[in-house]
Amino acid sequence: MPDMVSSIREKYQFTLDQIASAARKSGRAPEGIRLVVVTKSQPLEIVQAAIEAGVRILGENYPEEGVTKIQSLPPQSGVEWHMIGHVQSRKARLVAEHFELLHSLDSLKLARRLDRFAAERNRALPVLLEFNVGGEESKAGWDASNDSRWDAFLPEVESILKLPSLRVRGLMTMPPLGTDPEDSRRFFLRLRLLRDRLASTFPQADWRELSMGTSADYTVAVEEGATLVRVGTAIVGARRLKSEVEAL
Ligand SMILES: *Cc1c(COP(=O)(O)O)cnc(C)c1O
């Protein structure tokens, strides 16, 4: 356990340093970027070690797995939980009740359900809209792979902005997996340009957040304007198979 904590602490600090230098390089303040440590498919022991190592924001992909972890920790653990994976409509309640920010809102249908459950809980749920900037079939999010598609989702965005218990805070993307971090740059730029356009179309909303960049390309994402980066394996190591997790 102490070894795990110090190993995570070292990698977490290294990642924060890389973020800070990428920020300075592009004339940004490092404080404007938050590091989400992704613990999906990692056992509770890793989550506990990450918290002990100083991690403050944790990201999960699967609502049930995330909620199990949240409920296994003391209620005042001082960490913030973000949902970063695709959420099925029937899991909307779990997300509306347990997470501080949903990065991956990808349909009006899900938005309506989240709004309803958040209202029942008397809370407002902050969300980011997920866009598919690479146009891959396998990826979630509204298709923003070419400019001619941009107008197609505007009516849905407008409807989401009107939902009283959701708070749109910006955009998120997961670009196609490249072989080089630089391969992601044009996709990150694309998300930023889309954000600027939505901000001018809907100035009533807050579009400040850009969630982009993973272990493979987070420094490029920071150079292109990321305010949230989602880093898993570079900090907490390879994801475990279920059987390995159970054996721990
Ligand atoms: C798993 C995942 C990450 C983290 O990926 P790593 O390669 O482990 O850094 C980031 N974002 C999303 C949406 C993910 O599913």
mmCIF file of all heavy atoms in Angstrom, residues 3 36 59 62 82 85 95 101 103 108 111 114 118 131 143-144 149 166 173 175 201 215 231 243:
data_model
loop_
_atom_site.group_PDB
_atom_site.id
_atom_site.type_symbol
_atom_site.label_atom_id
_atom_site.label_comp_id
_atom_site.label_asym_id
_atom_site.label_seq_id
_atom_site.Cartn_x
_atom_site.Cartn_y
_atom_site.Cartn_z
ATOM 1 N N ASP A 3 3.791 1.664 -1.066
ATOM 2 C CA ASP A 3 4.439 1.712 -2.376
ATOM 3 C C ASP A 3 3.501 2.229 -3.445
ATOM 4 O O ASP A 3 3.878 3.004 -4.314
ATOM 5 C CB ASP A 3 4.873 0.297 -2.799
ATOM 6 C CG ASP A 3 6.114 -0.140 -2.039
ATOM 7 O OD1 ASP A 3 6.630 0.684 -1.267
ATOM 8 O OD2 ASP A 3 6.530 -1.296 -2.229
ATOM 9 N N VAL A 36 -8.363 15.277 -13.929
ATOM 10 C CA VAL A 36 -9.272 14.224 -13.491
ATOM 11 C C VAL A 36 -8.518 12.897 -13.599
ATOM 12 O O VAL A 36 -8.050 12.534 -14.675
ATOM 13 C CB VAL A 36 -10.533 14.171 -14.393
ATOM 14 C CG1 VAL A 36 -11.485 13.066 -13.929
ATOM 15 C CG2 VAL A 36 -11.235 15.527 -14.421
ATOM 16 N N GLY A 59 -12.404 10.218 -11.964
ATOM 17 C CA GLY A 59 -13.312 10.005 -13.084
ATOM 18 C C GLY A 59 -13.646 8.534 -13.237
ATOM 19 O O GLY A 59 -12.757 7.678 -13.168
ATOM 20 N N TYR A 62 -18.389 3.944 -15.625
ATOM 21 C CA TYR A 62 -19.608 3.148 -15.485
ATOM 22 C C TYR A 62 -20.312 3.559 -14.202
ATOM 23 O O TYR A 62 -19.723 3.471 -13.119
ATOM 24 C CB TYR A 62 -19.252 1.652 -15.465
ATOM 25 C CG TYR A 62 -18.328 1.264 -16.603
ATOM 26 C CD1 TYR A 62 -16.973 1.064 -16.377
ATOM 27 C CD2 TYR A 62 -18.818 1.175 -17.912
ATOM 28 C CE1 TYR A 62 -16.108 0.762 -17.424
ATOM 29 C CE2 TYR A 62 -17.956 0.871 -18.959
ATOM 30 C CZ TYR A 62 -16.608 0.658 -18.720
ATOM 31 O OH TYR A 62 -15.752 0.372 -19.750
ATOM 32 N N HIS A 82 -16.392 12.578 -11.067
ATOM 33 C CA HIS A 82 -16.917 12.943 -12.379
ATOM 34 C C HIS A 82 -17.282 11.682 -13.159
ATOM 35 O O HIS A 82 -16.544 10.691 -13.105
ATOM 36 C CB HIS A 82 -15.868 13.721 -13.183
ATOM 37 C CG HIS A 82 -15.577 15.085 -12.623
ATOM 38 N ND1 HIS A 82 -14.828 16.010 -13.302
ATOM 39 C CD2 HIS A 82 -15.939 15.687 -11.461
ATOM 40 C CE1 HIS A 82 -14.736 17.124 -12.580
ATOM 41 N NE2 HIS A 82 -15.393 16.949 -11.456
ATOM 42 N N GLY A 85 -17.981 8.487 -18.864
ATOM 43 C CA GLY A 85 -18.333 7.513 -19.894
ATOM 44 C C GLY A 85 -19.775 7.660 -20.365
ATOM 45 O O GLY A 85 -20.571 8.369 -19.754
ATOM 46 N N VAL A 95 -26.389 8.825 -11.920
ATOM 47 C CA VAL A 95 -25.495 9.938 -12.247
ATOM 48 C C VAL A 95 -26.013 11.237 -11.630
ATOM 49 O O VAL A 95 -25.258 12.007 -11.022
ATOM 50 C CB VAL A 95 -25.341 10.068 -13.781
ATOM 51 C CG1 VAL A 95 -24.544 11.308 -14.154
ATOM 52 C CG2 VAL A 95 -24.663 8.805 -14.334
ATOM 53 N N LEU A 101 -20.030 16.201 -11.793
ATOM 54 C CA LEU A 101 -20.030 16.700 -13.177
ATOM 55 C C LEU A 101 -20.137 15.505 -14.113
ATOM 56 O O LEU A 101 -19.437 14.513 -13.942
ATOM 57 C CB LEU A 101 -18.723 17.471 -13.468
ATOM 58 C CG LEU A 101 -18.520 17.957 -14.906
ATOM 59 C CD1 LEU A 101 -19.532 19.047 -15.290
ATOM 60 C CD2 LEU A 101 -17.102 18.508 -15.119
ATOM 61 N N HIS A 103 -19.328 14.545 -17.835
ATOM 62 C CA HIS A 103 -18.587 15.044 -19.005
ATOM 63 C C HIS A 103 -19.254 14.634 -20.307
ATOM 64 O O HIS A 103 -18.990 15.220 -21.345
ATOM 65 C CB HIS A 103 -17.171 14.450 -19.038
ATOM 66 C CG HIS A 103 -16.242 14.956 -17.984
ATOM 67 N ND1 HIS A 103 -14.988 15.434 -18.254
ATOM 68 C CD2 HIS A 103 -16.389 15.064 -16.641
ATOM 69 C CE1 HIS A 103 -14.382 15.799 -17.133
ATOM 70 N NE2 HIS A 103 -15.219 15.579 -16.127
ATOM 71 N N LEU A 108 -30.436 14.283 -26.157
ATOM 72 C CA LEU A 108 -31.505 15.062 -25.523
ATOM 73 C C LEU A 108 -32.326 14.172 -24.594
ATOM 74 O O LEU A 108 -32.751 14.591 -23.517
ATOM 75 C CB LEU A 108 -32.383 15.688 -26.617
ATOM 76 C CG LEU A 108 -33.590 16.505 -26.152
ATOM 77 C CD1 LEU A 108 -33.179 17.632 -25.208
ATOM 78 C CD2 LEU A 108 -34.328 17.085 -27.371
ATOM 79 N N ALA A 111 -30.538 13.866 -21.424
ATOM 80 C CA ALA A 111 -30.596 15.173 -20.750
ATOM 81 C C ALA A 111 -31.920 15.334 -20.012
ATOM 82 O O ALA A 111 -31.958 15.784 -18.862
ATOM 83 C CB ALA A 111 -30.404 16.298 -21.764
ATOM 84 N N LEU A 114 -31.935 13.102 -16.876
ATOM 85 C CA LEU A 114 -31.054 13.653 -15.841
ATOM 86 C C LEU A 114 -31.702 14.868 -15.178
ATOM 87 O O LEU A 114 -31.644 15.042 -13.964
ATOM 88 C CB LEU A 114 -29.716 14.073 -16.456
ATOM 89 C CG LEU A 114 -28.806 12.956 -16.938
ATOM 90 C CD1 LEU A 114 -27.713 13.532 -17.840
ATOM 91 C CD2 LEU A 114 -28.169 12.200 -15.770
ATOM 92 N N ALA A 118 -32.446 15.094 -11.277
ATOM 93 C CA ALA A 118 -31.764 16.161 -10.527
ATOM 94 C C ALA A 118 -32.810 17.018 -9.812
ATOM 95 O O ALA A 118 -32.651 17.374 -8.640
ATOM 96 C CB ALA A 118 -30.900 17.005 -11.456
ATOM 97 N N PHE A 131 -19.063 15.761 -27.995
ATOM 98 C CA PHE A 131 -19.084 15.814 -29.460
ATOM 99 C C PHE A 131 -18.095 14.820 -30.041
ATOM 100 O O PHE A 131 -17.015 14.597 -29.503
ATOM 101 C CB PHE A 131 -18.768 17.231 -29.949
ATOM 102 C CG PHE A 131 -19.931 18.160 -29.742
ATOM 103 C CD1 PHE A 131 -20.034 18.915 -28.585
ATOM 104 C CD2 PHE A 131 -20.950 18.226 -30.674
ATOM 105 C CE1 PHE A 131 -21.140 19.734 -28.371
ATOM 106 C CE2 PHE A 131 -22.057 19.040 -30.471
ATOM 107 C CZ PHE A 131 -22.143 19.799 -29.313
ATOM 108 N N ASP A 143 -22.360 14.355 -33.819
ATOM 109 C CA ASP A 143 -21.382 14.365 -34.901
ATOM 110 C C ASP A 143 -20.987 15.799 -35.261
ATOM 111 O O ASP A 143 -21.791 16.565 -35.770
ATOM 112 C CB ASP A 143 -21.987 13.649 -36.127
ATOM 113 C CG ASP A 143 -20.961 13.475 -37.245
ATOM 114 O OD1 ASP A 143 -19.862 14.059 -37.155
ATOM 115 O OD2 ASP A 143 -21.272 12.758 -38.209
ATOM 116 N N ALA A 144 -19.733 16.126 -34.978
ATOM 117 C CA ALA A 144 -19.227 17.456 -35.325
ATOM 118 C C ALA A 144 -18.004 17.290 -36.210
ATOM 119 O O ALA A 144 -17.068 18.080 -36.177
ATOM 120 C CB ALA A 144 -18.870 18.229 -34.057
ATOM 121 N N ARG A 149 -22.300 19.672 -40.579
ATOM 122 C CA ARG A 149 -23.166 18.982 -39.620
ATOM 123 C C ARG A 149 -23.485 19.846 -38.401
ATOM 124 O O ARG A 149 -24.323 19.478 -37.587
ATOM 125 C CB ARG A 149 -22.489 17.726 -39.081
ATOM 126 C CG ARG A 149 -21.911 16.887 -40.176
ATOM 127 C CD ARG A 149 -22.047 15.427 -39.869
ATOM 128 N NE ARG A 149 -21.554 14.695 -41.014
ATOM 129 C CZ ARG A 149 -22.130 13.624 -41.494
ATOM 130 N NH1 ARG A 149 -23.205 13.158 -40.925
ATOM 131 N NH2 ARG A 149 -21.638 13.028 -42.545
ATOM 132 N N LEU A 166 -30.378 21.232 -15.256
ATOM 133 C CA LEU A 166 -29.040 20.950 -15.794
ATOM 134 C C LEU A 166 -28.319 22.278 -15.974
ATOM 135 O O LEU A 166 -28.946 23.292 -16.266
ATOM 136 C CB LEU A 166 -29.104 20.233 -17.151
ATOM 137 C CG LEU A 166 -29.703 18.826 -17.192
ATOM 138 C CD1 LEU A 166 -29.439 18.190 -18.554
ATOM 139 C CD2 LEU A 166 -29.158 17.941 -16.081
ATOM 140 N N THR A 173 -14.664 15.846 -25.634
ATOM 141 C CA THR A 173 -14.495 14.945 -26.774
ATOM 142 C C THR A 173 -13.457 13.863 -26.485
ATOM 143 O O THR A 173 -12.633 13.998 -25.582
ATOM 144 C CB THR A 173 -14.095 15.684 -28.071
ATOM 145 O OG1 THR A 173 -14.378 14.824 -29.199
ATOM 146 C CG2 THR A 173 -12.617 16.053 -28.106
ATOM 147 N N PRO A 175 -11.094 11.976 -29.114
ATOM 148 C CA PRO A 175 -10.736 11.893 -30.548
ATOM 149 C C PRO A 175 -10.321 10.483 -30.955
ATOM 150 O O PRO A 175 -10.075 9.648 -30.087
ATOM 151 C CB PRO A 175 -9.558 12.863 -30.661
ATOM 152 C CG PRO A 175 -8.935 12.879 -29.319
ATOM 153 C CD PRO A 175 -10.040 12.627 -28.323
ATOM 154 N N THR A 201 -23.471 31.632 -30.352
ATOM 155 C CA THR A 201 -24.881 31.354 -30.671
ATOM 156 C C THR A 201 -25.760 31.405 -29.413
ATOM 157 O O THR A 201 -26.904 31.865 -29.473
ATOM 158 C CB THR A 201 -25.016 29.951 -31.319
ATOM 159 O OG1 THR A 201 -24.079 29.843 -32.381
ATOM 160 C CG2 THR A 201 -26.416 29.724 -31.873
ATOM 161 N N SER A 215 -4.139 10.074 -21.199
ATOM 162 C CA SER A 215 -2.712 9.764 -20.996
ATOM 163 C C SER A 215 -1.900 9.993 -22.260
ATOM 164 O O SER A 215 -0.763 10.442 -22.208
ATOM 165 C CB SER A 215 -2.533 8.299 -20.568
ATOM 166 O OG SER A 215 -3.118 8.078 -19.315
ATOM 167 N N VAL A 231 -6.904 11.675 -17.189
ATOM 168 C CA VAL A 231 -5.734 10.809 -17.295
ATOM 169 C C VAL A 231 -5.873 9.601 -16.376
ATOM 170 O O VAL A 231 -6.053 9.758 -15.169
ATOM 171 C CB VAL A 231 -4.449 11.609 -16.966
ATOM 172 C CG1 VAL A 231 -3.220 10.705 -17.065
ATOM 173 C CG2 VAL A 231 -4.311 12.817 -17.889
ATOM 174 N N SER A 243 -11.447 -10.175 -13.077
ATOM 175 C CA SER A 243 -10.937 -11.298 -12.267
ATOM 176 C C SER A 243 -9.758 -10.862 -11.405
ATOM 177 O O SER A 243 -9.617 -11.271 -10.265
ATOM 178 C CB SER A 243 -10.550 -12.447 -13.174
ATOM 179 O OG SER A 243 -9.619 -11.993 -14.139
#
